[in-house]
Amino acid sequence: HAKELGRNTYQYYSGSMNAMALERLTLENSLRWALKRNEFRLCYQPQLDAATGRVVGMEALLSWHRPGCDVVPPDDFIPLAEETGLIASIGEWVLWNACAQAVTWLHEGLPPVRVAVNLSSLQFRSRRLAELVRKVLRATGLPPSHLELEITEGVFMSNEEDAAAVIRDLKKMGVRFSVDDFGTGYSSLSRLSRFPLDALKIDRSFVRDISADPAAAGLTAAIIAMARNLGLNVIAEGVETLEQFAFLRANGCAEVQGFLFSQPLTPDAAAAFLRARSH
Ligand code: C2E
Ligand code: MG
Ligand code: MG
Ligand code: MG
């Protein structure tokens, strides 16, 4: 009996595992084809100067328009892209696309803004990254100072020496660096201060709790003050209410980004937004 039960259990277990494995394999296979089939899109979310309301940057955000499915947000496929190594070619596509888009806007006479590109820490570990960026900037003609690379604290946790070398190479070119989702990782500001960074993005989770949670408000104010002392630009992400905006501005946060100002926009809508805000 025990044997029989064991076998049934095993079959049940292996059946559901197979279903999961199959689903993952299918997803992985379509992700492999997604680049060739041109299924990725970039949207752009404006970053505004908190004092003047002028657009200072556009963050490129990736999504996957998988045929027959709802649009797949990055959090649902970037981890798989990282596990499979596909992140290298996807990340390359993002860089080319975002830089080419920024140059198109310049040529259209729109006010110059930075374009911010998110990098996976895996991408970042490759020594090829600096070469790639150099190639993309040269081929598209984007001035290096118009490119901001968003990295996460994960980059500093391992391979600190390699990370520092790559950042230094890119900084020499004139590219800007910001630390994304700041406050969610374990790195301290003193550790970050060893790297030549330009900006710090306060994570949405702090901004969200500003009004309800005095501790979050205090922490946010402290992060802004310390970052400014280190000479870093501060960008708050996920700003949704006027109350959050007022608090951030009063505490010296230089730049803001969030649904209060704009959702991520298609390239055409982003151009229209830029045009409307240029006078
Ligand atoms: P992130 O870089 O921190 O991007 C901000 C995310 O917050 C975006 O989600 C954006 O749509 C969302 N957001 C912006 N304003 C608000 C707001 O006011 N309220 C709320 N609730 N959300 C807001 P999205 O597009 O789903 O991107 C999620 C994450 O995926 C990004 O977080 C980034 O880490 C990653 N990602 C996006 N594009 C790329 C890419 O090209 N390469 C890599 N490696 N990662 C990417
Ligand atoms: Mg980002
Ligand atoms: Mg973020
Ligand atoms: Mg994030």
Side-chain angles (χ1 to χ4, degrees):
H1 287 111
K3 202 170 175 185
E4 216 168 288
L5 187 69
R7 191 191 291 146
N8 284 341
T9 311
Y10 171 74
Q11 280 178 351
Y12 174 76
Y13 179 68
S14 110
S16 72
M17 281 304 281
N18 281 343
M20 273 168 57
L22 188 66
E23 195 186 308
R24 201 201 119 112
L25 213 64
T26 311
L27 186 71
E28 188 181 323
N29 194 45
S30 21
L31 190 59
R32 245 172 236 294
W33 284 93
L35 261 185
K36 275 205 183 75
R37 291 177 178 157
N38 196 24
E39 293 168 3
F40 291 117
R41 296 285 176 275
L42 287 179
C43 276
Y44 295 87
Q45 189 178 35
Q47 302 175 321
L48 286 75
D49 183 304
T52 65
R54 254 207 304 261
V55 185
V56 288
M58 286 282 185
E59 179 177 2
L61 293 162
L62 183 66
S63 60
W64 177 17
H65 294 238
R66 193 179 174 199
C69 303
D70 294 332
V71 175
V72 190
D75 287 334
D76 289 359
F77 68 88
I78 295 277
L80 183 61
E82 289 177 333
E83 280 170 46
T84 54
L86 290 167
I87 191 67
S89 46
I90 295 173
E92 206 168 311
W93 181 90
V94 170
L95 200 60
W96 278 107
N97 241 266
C99 291
Q101 181 63 71
V103 170
T104 302
W105 287 333
L106 280 177
H107 288 172
E108 287 171 0
L110 294 169
V113 292
R114 316 183 293 254
V115 65
V117 172
N118 291 284
L119 292 185
S120 150
S121 11
L122 284 185
Q123 245 179 311
F124 196 82
R125 268 168 220 159
S126 154
R127 294 302 301 251
R128 281 189 47 233
L129 181 64
E131 289 163 49
L132 171 70
V133 172
R134 192 193 307 275
K135 192 168 77 180
V136 170
L137 291 174
R138 195 174 292 155
T140 57
L142 184 70
S145 62
H146 290 216
L147 176 62
E148 182 155 301
L149 298 175
E150 293 194 2
I151 60 184
T152 52
E153 292 167 74
V155 167
F156 308 108
M157 300 315 284
S158 57
N159 287 315
E160 190 172 321
E161 289 318 305
D162 285 354
V166 176
I167 295 186
R168 256 182 251 114
D169 280 359
L170 286 162
K171 283 297 300 173
K172 266 184 243 150
M173 274 179 235
V175 170
R176 294 168 51 94
F177 276 94
S178 60
V179 178
D180 205 354
D181 305 335
F182 184 77
T184 59
Y186 297 97
S187 55
S188 63
L189 271 174
S190 81
R191 181 170 195 157
L192 293 191
S193 69
R194 283 188 250 144
F195 297 86
L197 303 166
D198 300 279
L200 206 145
K201 298 187 74 175
I202 301 180
D203 190 64
R204 193 163 83 220
S205 56
F206 293 100
V207 175
R208 187 191 52 218
D209 296 342
I210 279 174
S211 312
D213 177 3
L219 221 49
T220 303
I223 292 172
I224 295 170
M226 287 190 290
R228 288 183 54 169
N229 277 331
L230 291 169
L232 297 171
N233 185 26
V234 186
I235 308 173
E237 57 181 15
V239 183
E240 293 183 354
T241 69
L242 280 170
E243 204 178 344
Q244 293 164 347
F245 180 38
F247 178 90
L248 291 161
R249 212 167 29 175
N251 283 278
C253 178
E255 296 177 9
V256 285
Q257 179 180 359
F259 295 165
L260 177 63
F261 312 101
S262 174
Q263 300 268 334
L265 303 166
T266 63
D268 283 347
F273 191 94
L274 269 176
R275 202 168 287 121
R277 298 284 179 120
S278 62
H279 9 254

